[in-house]
Amino acid sequence: MLVLFETPAGYAVFKLLDENKLAKTDNLYLDFETPEGASKVLKLKHFEKFADTTEALAATTAAVEGKLCKSLKKMLKKHCSEVQEQLAVADAKLGNAIKDKLSLPCVSNTAVQELMRCIRSQMDSLLAGLPKKEITAMALGLAHSLSRYKLKFSPDKIDTMIIQAVCLLDDLDKELNNYVMRCREWYGWHFPELGKIITDNIAFVKTVKIIGTRENAIQSDLSDILPEEVEEKVKEAAEISMGTEISQDDILNIVHLCDQVIEISSYRSQLYDYLKTRMMAVAPNLTVLVGDLVGARLVSHAGSLINLAKHPASTLQILGAEKALFRALKTKKDTPKYGLIYHSQLVGQATTKNKGKMSRMLAAKASLCTRVDALGEESSFELGAEHKVKLESRLRILEEGNIRRLSGTAKAKAKFEKFHTKSEVLEYPTAADSTLQSQKRRHSEIEEKKPLIEVIGESSESPEKPKKKKKKTEDDAHVEIKQEVEEEAQEGEGKKKKKKKKQEVEEVKEEPVEAAEAEEEPKKKKKKKKKDHTEEADTSQAAEEEMDTTVAEETVTGEKKKKKKKKSQSND
């Protein structure tokens, strides 16, 4: 029986001298207490050494996965296929692979496992050709390589450097702001107008370093730092400045502070470039999607890229807003919609009402990109670029207010059309709620009844026409009295005039009745009110006619009396 033993240095094939020893596994360790006893049980037949660490890593990973590597296959064909003996193997999966490829009978059981344990205890004496230091070094190198391979670890993908760099960048920003504020305040005592003219911090510091005291502003050349207009304003303000005088020692210390600000700002720009390159190497998809600074802060807040990949999208969305989240949960108010992801470009482009939707969608895509970057084998930013294009199109749809309409088939592309709203507003007529007549008239009812008032006015005005005619008849009567016409002719004319008056009154009565009947047909609901008005009009007309007839009779009787008096006077 042959025994296949795997070492960090290579493969070893032993010849089992006494196969009966495998039957007594309980006392097998006693035979391997000394190198001499181990040599009586096993004898080294062949040792195949690995050429380098890469070959050792390939062979080890194949053995872990239960596969047969090329180097092992060649060695077994050369030294074991001719003998056709049983082969004792530690891994059953590897034994099945050897049996399938080389048709060698393989054995793997508890007895073989105990034998492997005993060989490992006396490996230095059994492998006489290899020194102990070399085996130890190769074992250490193989262990490191295997751990890197199992964890998908690469020296380029060290997220610790990103965490340190982004933390240092934030510290530099704070220190730079403090230094610039101190420089502005310090130099403001001497030249306060300069701080209002130059708003850029770096340009202000460089200008202070070149000018020194304000008396040198006219002679100094600031064309490399400032534009011409600003330079002229600085020189004009230096001549009429309200600042105090300072000594040369003071200006020297201010210039030293300016040097520190310039150095820190230059180092910050270098550190930012370094951070961008590291982020593109470690997490390219996340960097393309949310930006290098936001991605670095997310990795730093989570602790590592692997930890960030373990977070769900909802956690990634509010990462950095933990205080607001727990305060909202405690006070039972609305939870925050975004954390560190708020500073990304896509969320910044959205309007206030769409920022929550945009942060939720961006967090979902960023979570996918983080998992691809942390656990994927390929280092490309295609996924991040694709997701960014989708989110930009979605943001455009949200901002324009379009509605997405899908066609019948799932494979067809979506069509986007603008949704135009109609400005027509239909109001519910509240007057139609109640059918009962209310005591107080509503404004709408008054407006509807206007034409009725006009009709009544017309009908009321119509009987006035005969009054004028009556006046004319009265005048004619007075004229006839003055002319002293005979009684018979006057009485005949009076009768004719009465008949004419009656005919005219009847015509006037018929006209408002016909008008009222014509307007009563389209407005049946208001018949009662119209009837009331017409009755009042009729009564008023009747009263006026009676008055007219009485007036006419009085005039006639008066004329008769006057004629009698005249006759009596003439007779006398």
Side-chain angles (χ1 to χ4, degrees):
M1 180 183 283
L2 299 177
V3 179
L4 178 64
F5 185 72
E6 303 160 4
T7 65
Y11 291 109
V13 179
F14 293 98
K15 175 68 175 176
L16 186 61
L17 299 177
D18 190 2
E19 295 181 5
N20 294 326
K21 295 287 186 182
L22 290 177
K24 301 176 181 178
T25 54
D26 296 336
N27 299 325
L28 186 60
Y29 70 95
L30 298 175
D31 296 330
F32 284 88
E33 287 181 350
T34 59
E36 292 81 6
S39 59
K40 293 178 180 178
V41 178
L42 292 173
K43 181 181 179 181
L44 182 61
K45 183 178 181 181
H46 179 73
F47 182 77
E48 186 73 23
K49 190 177 180 181
F50 294 129
D52 53 1
T53 310
T54 306
E55 187 181 353
L57 179 61
T60 308
T61 52
V64 169
E65 295 173 0
K67 296 179 181 179
L68 185 64
C69 65
K70 292 182 180 179
S71 58
L72 181 59
K73 189 175 180 180
K74 289 180 181 179
M75 191 265 293
L76 292 175
K77 276 185 178 181
K78 189 176 181 180
H79 299 281
C80 300
S81 60
E82 296 177 356
V83 182
Q84 291 295 328
E85 292 185 1
Q86 283 187 345
L87 185 64
V89 183
D91 190 6
K93 292 182 179 179
L94 181 60
N96 292 330
I98 293 171
K99 186 177 181 181
D100 294 338
K101 295 289 180 65
L102 302 175
S103 66
L104 284 174
C106 297
V107 180
S108 178
N109 49 32
T110 55
V112 174
Q113 295 290 339
E114 184 66 24
L115 180 61
M116 295 293 179
R117 193 178 296 111
C118 295
I119 293 171
R120 197 175 294 114
S121 64
Q122 295 293 334
M123 187 173 59
D124 297 336
S125 61
L126 293 173
L127 300 175
L130 291 174
K132 187 176 182 179
K133 289 183 179 180
E134 186 177 352
I135 294 175
T136 305
M138 293 184 76
L140 183 62
L142 182 60
H144 280 247
S145 300
L146 184 62
S147 62
R148 286 195 187 98
Y149 175 78
K150 291 295 289 183
L151 298 173
K152 302 293 188 295
F153 182 76
S154 174
D156 296 331
K157 290 192 174 185
I158 304 175
D159 49 9
T160 309
M161 304 301 172
I162 293 173
I163 296 170
Q164 297 298 329
V166 72
C167 291
L168 180 58
L169 196 69
D170 294 338
D171 293 340
L172 285 177
D173 288 335
K174 291 179 183 177
E175 293 299 324
L176 201 59
N177 288 332
N178 289 332
Y179 278 22
V180 170
M181 184 180 65
R182 183 63 58 197
C183 183
R184 281 180 177 273
E185 187 177 355
W186 197 352
Y187 194 73
W189 288 100
H190 176 61
F191 193 2
E193 293 84 2
L194 186 65
K196 296 180 181 178
I197 296 170
I198 304 173
T199 56
D200 187 25
N201 294 330
I202 305 301
F204 177 84
V205 169
K206 290 180 179 179
T207 305
V208 171
K209 185 179 178 182
I210 292 173
I211 292 176
T213 57
R214 65 172 180 264
E215 290 81 10
N216 302 327
I218 301 171
Q219 302 173 358
S220 59
D221 184 18
L222 302 173
S223 59
D224 297 336
I225 304 169
L226 303 175
E228 293 181 0
E229 298 177 356
V230 180
E231 185 179 358
E232 291 177 359
K233 289 182 181 179
V234 169
K235 290 180 180 180
E236 290 175 0
E239 295 178 358
I240 56 172
S241 178
M242 301 290 291
T244 60
E245 297 292 334
I246 57 175
S247 63
Q248 196 65 28
D249 293 337
D250 296 334
I251 202 67
L252 283 174
N253 285 302
I254 293 173
V255 169
H256 286 314
L257 180 60
C258 294
D259 292 334
Q260 292 292 324
V261 172
I262 293 169
E263 289 178 4
I264 292 172
S265 63
S266 62
Y267 175 63
R268 187 202 177 279
S269 62
Q270 293 177 4
L271 184 65
Y272 181 66
D273 294 338
Y274 165 76
L275 181 63
K276 284 198 294 186
T277 55
R278 297 304 297 172
M279 279 298 294
M280 284 302 295
V282 175
N285 292 295
L286 183 65
T287 306
V288 169
L289 188 62
V290 300
D292 40 26
L293 269 178
V294 177
R297 286 195 173 97
L298 287 172
V299 172
S300 174
H301 198 82
S304 65
L305 188 63
I306 296 292
N307 290 343
L308 185 64
K310 292 177 182 177
H311 287 315
S314 57
T315 304
L316 194 144
Q317 181 182 350
I318 58 169
L319 209 62
E322 286 83 4
K323 287 185 179 179
L325 174 65
F326 290 116
R327 184 171 62 248
L329 292 174
K330 187 176 180 180
T331 57
K332 294 182 180 179
K333 293 183 179 179
D334 294 336
T335 55
K337 296 179 181 178
Y338 28 69
L340 292 170
I341 207 170
Y342 178 80
H343 300 286
S344 62
Q345 184 180 4
L346 289 168
V347 178
Q349 290 175 353
T351 56
T352 306
K353 66 176 185 178
N354 292 327
K355 283 187 186 294
K357 293 181 181 179
M358 203 64 219
S359 63
R360 185 180 69 250
M361 292 186 289
L362 183 60
K365 301 301 182 185
S367 179
L368 294 176
C369 292
T370 306
R371 289 162 191 169
V372 171
D373 291 333
L375 306 172
E377 296 180 359
E378 297 180 0
S379 59
S380 63
F381 56 88
E382 293 178 358
L383 182 67
E386 183 182 352
H387 285 327
K388 189 174 183 181
V389 171
K390 289 181 181 178
L391 290 174
E392 285 176 350
S393 64
R394 180 62 179 160
L395 176 62
R396 206 158 39 244
I397 292 169
L398 289 173
E399 294 297 328
E400 292 176 359
N402 291 349
I403 293 179
R404 189 175 186 180
R405 188 180 70 180
L406 292 173
S407 58
T409 58
K411 294 182 179 180
K413 293 183 179 179
K415 293 181 180 180
F416 303 104
E417 294 180 358
K418 287 187 177 180
F419 180 71
H420 300 282
T421 57
K422 294 183 180 179
S423 61
E424 296 179 359
V425 179
L426 298 176
E427 294 183 356
Y428 178 73
T430 55
D433 285 342
S434 176
T435 57
L436 299 175
Q437 293 182 357
S438 60
Q439 293 180 356
K440 293 184 179 179
R441 293 182 179 179
R442 295 179 182 176
H443 184 68
S444 60
E445 293 179 358
I446 293 170
E447 288 180 355
E448 291 176 356
K449 293 175 184 178
K450 280 183 179 179
L452 293 175
I453 296 172
E454 291 176 358
V455 172
I456 294 167
E458 290 176 357
S459 63
S460 63
E461 288 176 2
S462 58
E464 291 180 358
K465 293 179 181 178
K467 286 184 178 180
K468 292 180 181 179
K469 293 180 181 179
K470 291 173 186 178
K471 287 181 181 178
K472 288 180 182 179
T473 54
E474 291 175 0
D475 294 336
D476 294 336
H478 289 295
V479 171
E480 288 175 356
I481 292 169
K482 288 179 182 180
Q483 291 178 356
E484 297 179 355
V485 184
E486 294 180 354
E487 291 180 357
E488 295 176 356
Q490 287 177 353
E491 289 176 359
E493 288 176 357
K495 291 178 180 179
K496 291 180 180 178
K497 288 177 184 178
K498 286 181 180 178
K499 292 179 180 179
K500 289 181 181 179
K501 287 179 184 177
K502 289 180 179 179
Q503 291 176 357
E504 288 175 357
V505 169
E506 289 175 356
E507 289 177 357
V508 170
K509 286 181 180 179
E510 291 174 359
E511 287 177 359
V513 171
E514 290 175 356
E517 289 176 355
E519 289 181 0
E520 280 175 0
E521 290 177 358
K523 299 178 181 179
K524 293 179 180 179
K525 294 182 180 179
K526 299 175 182 178
K527 284 183 179 179
K528 294 182 180 180
K529 293 182 180 179
K530 287 183 180 179
K531 287 179 181 179
D532 296 337
H533 286 295
T534 51
E535 288 175 0
E536 290 176 1
D538 293 338
T539 53
S540 62
Q541 287 177 2
E544 287 176 356
E545 288 176 359
E546 290 177 358
M547 292 290 291
D548 292 337
T549 53
T550 52
V551 169
E553 290 176 355
E554 287 177 357
T555 53
V556 171
T557 52
E559 289 174 356
K560 288 180 178 181
K561 287 179 181 180
K562 285 180 181 180
K563 288 178 180 179
K564 287 179 181 181
K565 286 180 181 180
K566 285 180 181 180
K567 286 180 179 182
S568 62
Q569 288 177 2
S570 61
N571 293 324
D572 294 335

